[in-house]
Amino acid sequence: MPQLEIQEDWYRHAYPPEMDELPWADKTGAEVERAIAMLRPRGDERVLDLGCGTGRHSLELARRGFSVLGVELLEENVRVAREKAADLGSSAEFLAADLRELDFFEQFELVLNFNDGGIGYFETEAENLRTFEVIARALKPGGRHLAQTPNRLHAERHMPERTWILGEEAVELTDHWWNAKSQRLEGTVASIRFGETLEKLDPIPYSSRLYLVEELQEIYAALGMTLSNTFRGSGKAGRPRDNQYEIFWEARKP
């Protein structure tokens, strides 16, 4: 495993507004469409979008008729999201907060964690479980949680791994490795915009606790919820495979 010091609170600095220029930001519409295909919602649900960044998914959901509150840790991202909403005349609302400190009670039909959305980011097992507790409390009876994170089966089998994603304005370079002792995916993300040189790369370290399906079942069961579905990247239901980089899952509150 590479020798790299990763700050415990890396997530407080890793996702500034400039991240909107990275290649995965080009996929917003497709990502929302996939989530809708997985959940098959009515279209008028109240949605909590956790770890919303500058609001790209929240704004797209609001455009489609959902009532959306996006929650984001970085105040600068929330400022940008609110400016976007004002420019678009969007109904999406945004709140700057640490998701562990949220105290919503049965206010949302859907809670979404796109692109990790803070799941597994925190320093201890207890703090990471707090994320699930907040989600369960925020959901109305009958509400559902949809999350997207890296797939632990893939990390265990295929890491270390170096990947790249090509976008319209930049390329993203990622180094991943699996820390079996801490059960965390660790690595660095760097981006280079077209026209820049490689010397401008400034890798951002990250560390995220990944979960097996069996662990997720136990976590939700302890909260009175049920892990109801897992999905492949295509949006079709199915158990995760080790050749699948990401895992998507749905949990339900009775």
Side-chain angles (χ1 to χ4, degrees):
M1 183 180 71
Q3 296 298 311
L4 178 68
E5 183 177 352
I6 301 175
Q7 293 182 346
E8 286 190 340
D9 63 347
W10 62 271
Y11 50 85
R12 295 187 181 277
H13 316 286
Y15 300 112
E18 293 76 20
M19 296 292 280
D20 263 6
E21 300 175 19
L22 294 183
W24 39 259
D26 300 338
K27 303 177 182 179
T28 302
E31 289 174 341
V32 169
E33 191 66 34
R34 179 173 56 192
I36 289 173
M38 291 174 177
L39 292 172
R40 301 188 181 279
R42 297 185 312 270
D44 60 353
E45 286 88 348
R46 178 71 168 150
V47 178
L48 178 62
D49 180 13
L50 292 176
C52 70
T54 59
R56 60 191 184 95
H57 295 111
S58 296
L59 293 167
E60 178 63 17
L61 287 161
R63 187 185 70 81
R64 294 170 182 248
F66 295 91
S67 172
V68 187
L69 174 64
V71 174
E72 165 62 27
L73 180 62
L74 276 67
E75 292 187 3
E76 180 65 10
N77 282 340
V78 172
R79 181 188 65 78
V80 172
R82 287 172 175 164
E83 289 177 354
K84 288 182 179 180
D87 290 344
L88 294 170
S90 174
S91 63
E93 299 177 309
F94 297 95
L95 173 68
D98 186 318
L99 67 85
R100 291 168 290 182
E101 298 172 1
L102 298 176
D103 195 28
F104 297 120
F105 180 69
E106 296 187 353
Q107 292 180 237
F108 300 91
E109 283 91 5
L110 299 175
V111 176
L112 306 177
N113 291 79
F114 287 102
N115 304 120
D116 306 349
I119 291 179
Y121 283 9
F122 303 120
E123 293 84 349
T124 67
E125 286 292 290
E127 289 295 282
N128 283 318
L129 290 175
R130 173 64 180 152
T131 303
F132 292 93
E133 293 168 2
V134 166
I135 290 165
R137 182 178 175 83
L139 283 168
K140 294 180 179 180
R144 294 179 289 166
H145 175 220
L146 181 68
Q148 170 191 6
T149 71
N151 178 13
R152 176 165 165 174
L153 295 179
H154 179 87
E156 290 177 334
R157 184 174 179 84
H158 297 285
M159 304 300 176
E161 185 178 57
R162 176 169 290 176
T163 62
W164 58 275
I165 302 174
L166 182 64
E168 293 182 1
E169 298 183 10
V171 61
E172 177 184 287
L173 309 174
T174 305
D175 281 304
H176 317 269
W177 55 88
W178 175 243
N179 187 327
K181 181 177 180 180
S182 65
Q183 303 176 80
R184 299 180 78 96
L185 179 65
E186 299 176 347
T188 62
V189 179
S191 64
I192 181 166
R193 294 172 183 82
F194 299 139
E196 292 182 341
T197 63
L198 288 174
E199 285 74 18
K200 289 205 170 187
L201 286 175
D202 186 17
I204 299 171
Y206 68 89
S207 173
S208 181
R209 167 73 156 93
L210 302 187
Y211 297 92
L212 295 169
V213 167
E214 293 76 12
E215 291 180 290
L216 293 170
Q217 290 171 331
E218 292 179 3
I219 289 168
Y220 285 113
L223 297 169
M225 294 180 61
T226 302
L227 183 70
S228 51
N229 267 313
T230 56
F231 303 92
R232 302 200 175 98
S234 64
K236 294 182 179 180
R239 293 278 296 190
R241 302 168 178 169
D242 62 28
N243 64 350
Q244 174 186 339
Y245 175 73
E246 294 180 300
I247 179 175
F248 304 80
W249 72 82
E250 175 192 2
R252 294 175 180 262
K253 184 174 181 177

